[in-house]
Amino acid sequence: MAAYLQWRRFVFFDKEVVKEPLGSDGPAPGPAPAAGPAASKLLCLPPGITVCDSGRGSLVFGDILPLALSLPDPCGGPAGTESAPWRLTGFQAYKLRVTHLYQLKQHNILASVGEDEQGINPLVKIWNLEKRDGGNPLCTRIFPAIPGTEPTVVSCLTVHENLNFMAIGFTDGSVTLNKGDITRDRHSKTQILHKGNYPVTGLAFRQAGKNTHLFVVTTENVQSYIVSGKDCPRVELDTHGCGLRCSALSDPSQDLQFIVAGDECVYLYQPDERGPCFAFEGHKLIAHWFRGYLVIVSRDRKVSPKSEFTNRDSQSSDKQILNIYDLCNKFIAYSAVFEDIVDVLAEWGSLYVLTRDGRVHALQEKDTQTKLEMLFKKNLFEMAINLAKSQHLDSDGLAQIFMQYGDHLYSKGNHDGAVQQYIRTIGKLEPSYVIRKFLDAQRIHNLTAYLQTLHRQSLANADHTTLLLNCYTKLKDSLRLEEFIKTKSESEVHFDVETAIRVLRQAGYYSHALYLAEHHAHHEWYLKIQLEDIKNYQEALRYIGKLPFEQAESNMKRYGKILMHHIPEQMTQLLKGLCTNYRPSFEGQGDRESPGRRANSEEFIPIFANNPRELKAFLEHMSAVQPDSPQGIYDTLLELRLQNWAHEKDPQVKEKLHAEAISLLKSGRFCDVFDKALVLCQMHDFQDGVLHLYEQGKLYQQMMHYYMQHEQYRQVIEVCERHGEQEPSLWEQALSYFARKEEDCKEYVAAVLKHIENKNLMPPLLVVQTLAHNSTATLSVIRDYLVQKLQKQSQQIAQDELRVRRYREETTRIRQEIQELKASPKIFQKTKCSICNSALELPSVHFLCGHSFHQHCFESYSESDADCPTCLPENRKVMDMIRAQEQKRDLHDQFQHQLKCSNDSFSVIADYFGRGVFNKLTLLTDPPTARLAGSLESGLQRDLLVHSRRGT
């Protein structure tokens, strides 16, 4: 039970008397002209109004004289204000009087109970206010209110908004229920739902899903029925009742509870149980629900509710108090005293209080902002917050209230309460506004609480994270710090991890920073802290070994030199794995089945700058395990071996190092790219390696120059013998080298001359000129060479003369044969075809060359009628050579002519060189397959070929 004595009172409603147009004769039925503010006066309703109701934009009044219904209708704006005076219309509903009215809210349907004749059963009439019948609303249905023959009086009336239920209560304690369409007789059925001993004072329908409940209240009890079922089960809710018009149904803000206003308390009911109650004192006259407010009209003088049915007119005109209660926020929104209230109606967003003198008072609720400002002035912030929530104020408006409340508490020194209000503004109020207020060291706890909530809502930036962590570190609150940073999953992280790591590292909380870095995969921060702050190199190396390949590779390049300086052996071991077959290890267990990856080993060589021993071990491991390592690996390994060889003093060890270097050079890794290796060998004066690379790179000139510089004559001859076939000029250089030597080199000169003679590499005159500069080279040195050379030339001359004589004889014979063909007849004696070798038959084809053919064979194989198919290939070659000689001859004559006539002979020669005229011509001929008969023989062909070569 909630006592209302502690509830604060406010004036959240504006009171105004409703006006009517100036110049109207009164509230007579019929439309009245609208008038402006200056032309309005107070509205005075006709006397004798007994019942009234509201809905669908109208207030409905039932009066005794002139026995009519009046329907005020606003002309625009809130009804009754200066901008919208009322327009009254009326019609006669009953001949005697109207006793009850019920205006539906969702339909323009009006249900009324009244009397047309004295002593006759009251009639229920259903009016359709949208349709007209002779100027009056259409009455769609009339039926008697009392179902039986026993006389009684109607006490209350209610209609369901779906038009399928209507309940009528009587003073004898009975309730009738009409099911079906209430606007039609044929579709409606009437039944007696309730019988009792106490007058029925209130009825109300409540729809809950598919169930329809009917609340029935009498002067002594409250019950509910489920009228949507067949049996209409009944539930007894309470043994307290109320008077007439002292019950109402709340809206959804109070869960559609049934309100019963007794003299001691106001009770709220659900269909199956009683809800809360409020101790509002005073004799209740009227209870009404309006937009979340409970409106109670009461007077202090105690009167029994039974007197309502004895003599209503006997009630004195005491002052009556109208209170408007906010049950949710527990305050009185308005309280005023009126004289003799007839009823309270709600329409057009306002309350209308009808008094016995015919005046209508409009109570217009103030807007939310005005009400909040009134509360702010009284520093009632909690109440303002509750009011704003009940009025469904948006989040921005609520945040503004929280901020003002926080400012108020802060000014009073209540910092704990202030920060709680500021926390409620997170997401709307700029955090810096709050943070500036709590930067004092004495308020660091409040600042910490605010920043924690800011992070939990994922609205903090890096600066907020920095500030919060600094608060933790200054408070030395390790427990809350761990709770803040140690989240279960990545989705629960409400701060910038990198910022947190940086702040914790600066504050010296290395273990917490390491936890964040490892848990959130900030590998660089983890390694920085381990290497630069904690100096735990073993743990850093172990951590790198657990990383995926890409991160492991990048971090080894970044921190490799530091780790190599402090733990060279472990570092070298990890590099071997990284560059061969890397698999991340987790707690020492690697996934051996997954395929590994490998890094470029050449990129890690700079890490070993000050660790040659580990570098050599790494390079030898890579060359042995991974033969296809980059070339830089072998170049660096060669450099290391050459350095060790050059600085070694022990002959045995030096010989071993020499063998290792040669073995590396001969491993085949320097075949394609050996420039760097050659430079290294030259720098360290590693002659065997230099000679090997010369020979491998086919640098035979350099090899021979090396031996010449060291006067190793035998090696010079060996180089010429091994590589003279690929590079014949070696013998000429060797001859020139020995010719310049003043010492006795006859043996070597003879060897060179012998090879030059065999290969015919130099003209004899050039040999003599070369050796003429050597004072030790006598005629005896070259005598054998010259004699053999002259003998070969003599033999060649004899062979040429013999060939010339043979060509002349052949030419004479061919000419005689040609002459005989021209002057003497040719006898064809061939008996076989030269193509198919079958016996020759007519018709046949004969050629002067002596070949004969069947005519069909000739036609099948011949390319032309004038050429012998057998001799044609050989004749074509000869003709091609003749045409080539003729072209060359013409070109030679043209060149000679231009050379003689031109002023710039060099430009003419250059032009012919550019066109390839002086290029060597080589003719490729096939072996002869046949001979020309009666035309040309093979000797003439060779003579022509020789002649054409000489002409070129």
Side-chain angles (χ1 to χ4, degrees), residues 131-159:
K131 297 181 180 180
R132 294 290 173 177
D133 182 14
N136 295 330
L138 176 63
C139 181
T140 61
R141 183 184 178 191
I142 302 175
F143 62 93
I146 303 173
T149 57
E150 297 181 3
T152 184
V153 178
V154 176
S155 60
C156 53
L157 169 70
T158 186
V159 181

mmCIF file of all heavy atoms in Angstrom, residues 131-159:
data_model
loop_
_atom_site.group_PDB
_atom_site.id
_atom_site.type_symbol
_atom_site.label_atom_id
_atom_site.label_comp_id
_atom_site.label_asym_id
_atom_site.label_seq_id
_atom_site.Cartn_x
_atom_site.Cartn_y
_atom_site.Cartn_z
ATOM 1 N N LYS A 131 -24.210 8.317 -39.749
ATOM 2 C CA LYS A 131 -25.328 8.266 -40.685
ATOM 3 C C LYS A 131 -26.491 9.079 -40.136
ATOM 4 O O LYS A 131 -26.650 9.224 -38.906
ATOM 5 C CB LYS A 131 -25.759 6.812 -40.914
ATOM 6 C CG LYS A 131 -24.669 5.955 -41.554
ATOM 7 C CD LYS A 131 -25.144 4.540 -41.787
ATOM 8 C CE LYS A 131 -24.057 3.690 -42.434
ATOM 9 N NZ LYS A 131 -24.505 2.296 -42.679
ATOM 10 N N ARG A 132 -27.290 9.619 -41.042
ATOM 11 C CA ARG A 132 -28.374 10.511 -40.648
ATOM 12 C C ARG A 132 -29.720 9.936 -41.067
ATOM 13 O O ARG A 132 -29.845 9.253 -42.086
ATOM 14 C CB ARG A 132 -28.184 11.893 -41.280
ATOM 15 C CG ARG A 132 -26.950 12.635 -40.756
ATOM 16 C CD ARG A 132 -27.163 13.064 -39.322
ATOM 17 N NE ARG A 132 -25.948 13.622 -38.739
ATOM 18 C CZ ARG A 132 -25.887 14.127 -37.521
ATOM 19 N NH1 ARG A 132 -26.978 14.131 -36.760
ATOM 20 N NH2 ARG A 132 -24.763 14.600 -37.065
ATOM 21 N N ASP A 133 -30.708 10.246 -40.213
ATOM 22 C CA ASP A 133 -32.089 9.836 -40.501
ATOM 23 C C ASP A 133 -32.987 11.025 -40.186
ATOM 24 O O ASP A 133 -33.326 11.285 -39.012
ATOM 25 C CB ASP A 133 -32.473 8.623 -39.645
ATOM 26 C CG ASP A 133 -33.888 8.124 -39.944
ATOM 27 O OD1 ASP A 133 -34.445 8.549 -40.983
ATOM 28 O OD2 ASP A 133 -34.416 7.349 -39.134
ATOM 29 N N GLY A 134 -33.296 11.785 -41.226
ATOM 30 C CA GLY A 134 -34.112 12.975 -41.023
ATOM 31 C C GLY A 134 -33.389 14.047 -40.244
ATOM 32 O O GLY A 134 -34.016 14.752 -39.426
ATOM 33 N N GLY A 135 -32.091 14.167 -40.413
ATOM 34 C CA GLY A 135 -31.319 15.184 -39.718
ATOM 35 C C GLY A 135 -30.740 14.708 -38.410
ATOM 36 O O GLY A 135 -29.856 15.369 -37.844
ATOM 37 N N ASN A 136 -31.227 13.606 -37.875
ATOM 38 C CA ASN A 136 -30.719 13.048 -36.627
ATOM 39 C C ASN A 136 -29.855 11.827 -36.923
ATOM 40 O O ASN A 136 -29.981 11.201 -37.984
ATOM 41 C CB ASN A 136 -31.873 12.655 -35.699
ATOM 42 C CG ASN A 136 -32.676 13.859 -35.248
ATOM 43 O OD1 ASN A 136 -32.141 14.960 -35.123
ATOM 44 N ND2 ASN A 136 -33.975 13.655 -35.025
ATOM 45 N N PRO A 137 -28.988 11.457 -35.970
ATOM 46 C CA PRO A 137 -28.207 10.226 -36.171
ATOM 47 C C PRO A 137 -29.118 9.021 -36.328
ATOM 48 O O PRO A 137 -30.228 8.977 -35.799
ATOM 49 C CB PRO A 137 -27.363 10.136 -34.906
ATOM 50 C CG PRO A 137 -27.273 11.541 -34.406
ATOM 51 C CD PRO A 137 -28.577 12.194 -34.765
ATOM 52 N N LEU A 138 -28.627 8.024 -37.065
ATOM 53 C CA LEU A 138 -29.419 6.841 -37.356
ATOM 54 C C LEU A 138 -29.390 5.905 -36.167
ATOM 55 O O LEU A 138 -28.328 5.543 -35.669
ATOM 56 C CB LEU A 138 -28.850 6.134 -38.589
ATOM 57 C CG LEU A 138 -29.527 4.802 -38.981
ATOM 58 C CD1 LEU A 138 -30.993 5.048 -39.358
ATOM 59 C CD2 LEU A 138 -28.767 4.136 -40.120
ATOM 60 N N CYS A 139 -30.581 5.529 -35.698
ATOM 61 C CA CYS A 139 -30.698 4.544 -34.623
ATOM 62 C C CYS A 139 -30.787 3.165 -35.277
ATOM 63 O O CYS A 139 -31.761 2.840 -35.966
ATOM 64 C CB CYS A 139 -31.934 4.831 -33.776
ATOM 65 S SG CYS A 139 -32.135 3.672 -32.402
ATOM 66 N N THR A 140 -29.755 2.361 -35.081
ATOM 67 C CA THR A 140 -29.668 1.074 -35.765
ATOM 68 C C THR A 140 -30.328 -0.061 -34.998
ATOM 69 O O THR A 140 -30.640 -1.099 -35.574
ATOM 70 C CB THR A 140 -28.201 0.709 -36.013
ATOM 71 O OG1 THR A 140 -27.534 0.596 -34.759
ATOM 72 C CG2 THR A 140 -27.501 1.784 -36.856
ATOM 73 N N ARG A 141 -30.580 0.138 -33.670
ATOM 74 C CA ARG A 141 -31.148 -0.966 -32.897
ATOM 75 C C ARG A 141 -31.780 -0.418 -31.620
ATOM 76 O O ARG A 141 -31.231 0.508 -30.999
ATOM 77 C CB ARG A 141 -30.082 -1.995 -32.535
ATOM 78 C CG ARG A 141 -30.632 -3.208 -31.785
ATOM 79 C CD ARG A 141 -29.523 -4.144 -31.379
ATOM 80 N NE ARG A 141 -30.026 -5.277 -30.623
ATOM 81 C CZ ARG A 141 -29.280 -6.155 -29.963
ATOM 82 N NH1 ARG A 141 -27.954 -6.018 -29.992
ATOM 83 N NH2 ARG A 141 -29.816 -7.158 -29.299
ATOM 84 N N ILE A 142 -32.930 -1.001 -31.253
ATOM 85 C CA ILE A 142 -33.614 -0.670 -30.004
ATOM 86 C C ILE A 142 -34.060 -1.974 -29.371
ATOM 87 O O ILE A 142 -34.638 -2.837 -30.034
ATOM 88 C CB ILE A 142 -34.840 0.238 -30.236
ATOM 89 C CG1 ILE A 142 -34.430 1.551 -30.945
ATOM 90 C CG2 ILE A 142 -35.529 0.542 -28.915
ATOM 91 C CD1 ILE A 142 -35.617 2.422 -31.294
ATOM 92 N N PHE A 143 -33.735 -2.118 -28.077
ATOM 93 C CA PHE A 143 -34.200 -3.317 -27.376
ATOM 94 C C PHE A 143 -34.302 -2.978 -25.894
ATOM 95 O O PHE A 143 -33.650 -2.039 -25.401
ATOM 96 C CB PHE A 143 -33.267 -4.507 -27.607
ATOM 97 C CG PHE A 143 -31.871 -4.296 -27.106
ATOM 98 C CD1 PHE A 143 -31.500 -4.710 -25.822
ATOM 99 C CD2 PHE A 143 -30.911 -3.677 -27.903
ATOM 100 C CE1 PHE A 143 -30.214 -4.524 -25.370
ATOM 101 C CE2 PHE A 143 -29.638 -3.479 -27.442
ATOM 102 C CZ PHE A 143 -29.272 -3.913 -26.172
ATOM 103 N N PRO A 144 -35.137 -3.717 -25.144
ATOM 104 C CA PRO A 144 -35.325 -3.421 -23.716
ATOM 105 C C PRO A 144 -34.077 -3.743 -22.929
ATOM 106 O O PRO A 144 -33.354 -4.701 -23.212
ATOM 107 C CB PRO A 144 -36.496 -4.298 -23.301
ATOM 108 C CG PRO A 144 -36.522 -5.394 -24.300
ATOM 109 C CD PRO A 144 -36.048 -4.805 -25.598
ATOM 110 N N ALA A 145 -33.795 -2.925 -21.906
ATOM 111 C CA ALA A 145 -32.602 -3.113 -21.107
ATOM 112 C C ALA A 145 -32.753 -4.265 -20.137
ATOM 113 O O ALA A 145 -31.785 -5.003 -19.873
ATOM 114 C CB ALA A 145 -32.267 -1.827 -20.349
ATOM 115 N N ILE A 146 -34.004 -4.469 -19.577
ATOM 116 C CA ILE A 146 -34.208 -5.521 -18.589
ATOM 117 C C ILE A 146 -34.691 -6.759 -19.308
ATOM 118 O O ILE A 146 -35.750 -6.730 -19.976
ATOM 119 C CB ILE A 146 -35.230 -5.067 -17.534
ATOM 120 C CG1 ILE A 146 -34.757 -3.762 -16.865
ATOM 121 C CG2 ILE A 146 -35.449 -6.143 -16.494
ATOM 122 C CD1 ILE A 146 -35.783 -3.147 -15.940
ATOM 123 N N PRO A 147 -33.950 -7.894 -19.221
ATOM 124 C CA PRO A 147 -34.363 -9.083 -19.981
ATOM 125 C C PRO A 147 -35.576 -9.769 -19.389
ATOM 126 O O PRO A 147 -36.361 -10.392 -20.101
ATOM 127 C CB PRO A 147 -33.132 -9.975 -19.903
ATOM 128 C CG PRO A 147 -32.452 -9.573 -18.649
ATOM 129 C CD PRO A 147 -32.700 -8.102 -18.471
ATOM 130 N N GLY A 148 -35.783 -9.682 -18.094
ATOM 131 C CA GLY A 148 -36.905 -10.385 -17.457
ATOM 132 C C GLY A 148 -38.097 -9.456 -17.217
ATOM 133 O O GLY A 148 -38.210 -8.362 -17.792
ATOM 134 N N THR A 149 -38.971 -9.916 -16.316
ATOM 135 C CA THR A 149 -40.187 -9.152 -16.016
ATOM 136 C C THR A 149 -40.078 -8.404 -14.702
ATOM 137 O O THR A 149 -40.918 -7.547 -14.395
ATOM 138 C CB THR A 149 -41.393 -10.112 -15.939
ATOM 139 O OG1 THR A 149 -41.134 -11.108 -14.956
ATOM 140 C CG2 THR A 149 -41.626 -10.773 -17.282
ATOM 141 N N GLU A 150 -39.045 -8.723 -13.925
ATOM 142 C CA GLU A 150 -38.893 -8.053 -12.650
ATOM 143 C C GLU A 150 -38.366 -6.644 -12.889
ATOM 144 O O GLU A 150 -37.372 -6.451 -13.582
ATOM 145 C CB GLU A 150 -37.936 -8.831 -11.747
ATOM 146 C CG GLU A 150 -38.453 -10.215 -11.386
ATOM 147 C CD GLU A 150 -37.498 -10.947 -10.470
ATOM 148 O OE1 GLU A 150 -36.470 -10.333 -10.096
ATOM 149 O OE2 GLU A 150 -37.761 -12.113 -10.136
ATOM 150 N N PRO A 151 -39.013 -5.646 -12.300
ATOM 151 C CA PRO A 151 -38.550 -4.265 -12.526
ATOM 152 C C PRO A 151 -37.258 -4.007 -11.757
ATOM 153 O O PRO A 151 -37.077 -4.472 -10.635
ATOM 154 C CB PRO A 151 -39.708 -3.437 -11.990
ATOM 155 C CG PRO A 151 -40.354 -4.295 -10.971
ATOM 156 C CD PRO A 151 -40.239 -5.709 -11.470
ATOM 157 N N THR A 152 -36.386 -3.266 -12.347
ATOM 158 C CA THR A 152 -35.120 -2.861 -11.725
ATOM 159 C C THR A 152 -34.606 -1.634 -12.458
ATOM 160 O O THR A 152 -35.195 -1.200 -13.476
ATOM 161 C CB THR A 152 -34.092 -3.989 -11.781
ATOM 162 O OG1 THR A 152 -32.919 -3.578 -11.087
ATOM 163 C CG2 THR A 152 -33.711 -4.342 -13.212
ATOM 164 N N VAL A 153 -33.523 -1.111 -11.960
ATOM 165 C CA VAL A 153 -32.956 0.133 -12.518
ATOM 166 C C VAL A 153 -31.566 -0.169 -13.074
ATOM 167 O O VAL A 153 -30.757 -0.856 -12.443
ATOM 168 C CB VAL A 153 -32.878 1.228 -11.435
ATOM 169 C CG1 VAL A 153 -32.233 2.494 -12.005
ATOM 170 C CG2 VAL A 153 -34.265 1.519 -10.896
ATOM 171 N N VAL A 154 -31.301 0.380 -14.283
ATOM 172 C CA VAL A 154 -29.966 0.242 -14.882
ATOM 173 C C VAL A 154 -28.992 1.126 -14.115
ATOM 174 O O VAL A 154 -29.255 2.322 -13.900
ATOM 175 C CB VAL A 154 -29.985 0.626 -16.371
ATOM 176 C CG1 VAL A 154 -28.571 0.567 -16.945
ATOM 177 C CG2 VAL A 154 -30.911 -0.281 -17.154
ATOM 178 N N SER A 155 -27.857 0.531 -13.716
ATOM 179 C CA SER A 155 -26.848 1.288 -12.954
ATOM 180 C C SER A 155 -25.605 1.638 -13.773
ATOM 181 O O SER A 155 -24.983 2.670 -13.547
ATOM 182 C CB SER A 155 -26.437 0.502 -11.716
ATOM 183 O OG SER A 155 -25.886 -0.762 -12.097
ATOM 184 N N CYS A 156 -25.229 0.809 -14.732
ATOM 185 C CA CYS A 156 -24.005 1.089 -15.518
ATOM 186 C C CYS A 156 -24.084 0.360 -16.852
ATOM 187 O O CYS A 156 -24.855 -0.583 -17.022
ATOM 188 C CB CYS A 156 -22.746 0.708 -14.765
ATOM 189 S SG CYS A 156 -22.740 -0.980 -14.141
ATOM 190 N N LEU A 157 -23.241 0.794 -17.756
ATOM 191 C CA LEU A 157 -23.263 0.282 -19.132
ATOM 192 C C LEU A 157 -21.838 0.307 -19.679
ATOM 193 O O LEU A 157 -21.079 1.245 -19.426
ATOM 194 C CB LEU A 157 -24.175 1.162 -20.004
ATOM 195 C CG LEU A 157 -24.112 0.940 -21.529
ATOM 196 C CD1 LEU A 157 -24.732 -0.388 -21.899
ATOM 197 C CD2 LEU A 157 -24.845 2.083 -22.244
ATOM 198 N N THR A 158 -21.489 -0.727 -20.438
ATOM 199 C CA THR A 158 -20.191 -0.739 -21.132
ATOM 200 C C THR A 158 -20.321 -1.546 -22.415
ATOM 201 O O THR A 158 -21.160 -2.462 -22.501
ATOM 202 C CB THR A 158 -19.079 -1.330 -20.249
ATOM 203 O OG1 THR A 158 -17.818 -1.181 -20.928
ATOM 204 C CG2 THR A 158 -19.300 -2.813 -19.980
ATOM 205 N N VAL A 159 -19.498 -1.206 -23.411
ATOM 206 C CA VAL A 159 -19.515 -1.852 -24.731
ATOM 207 C C VAL A 159 -18.072 -2.147 -25.128
ATOM 208 O O VAL A 159 -17.172 -1.316 -24.932
ATOM 209 C CB VAL A 159 -20.186 -0.957 -25.794
ATOM 210 C CG1 VAL A 159 -20.210 -1.666 -27.159
ATOM 211 C CG2 VAL A 159 -21.591 -0.578 -25.380
#
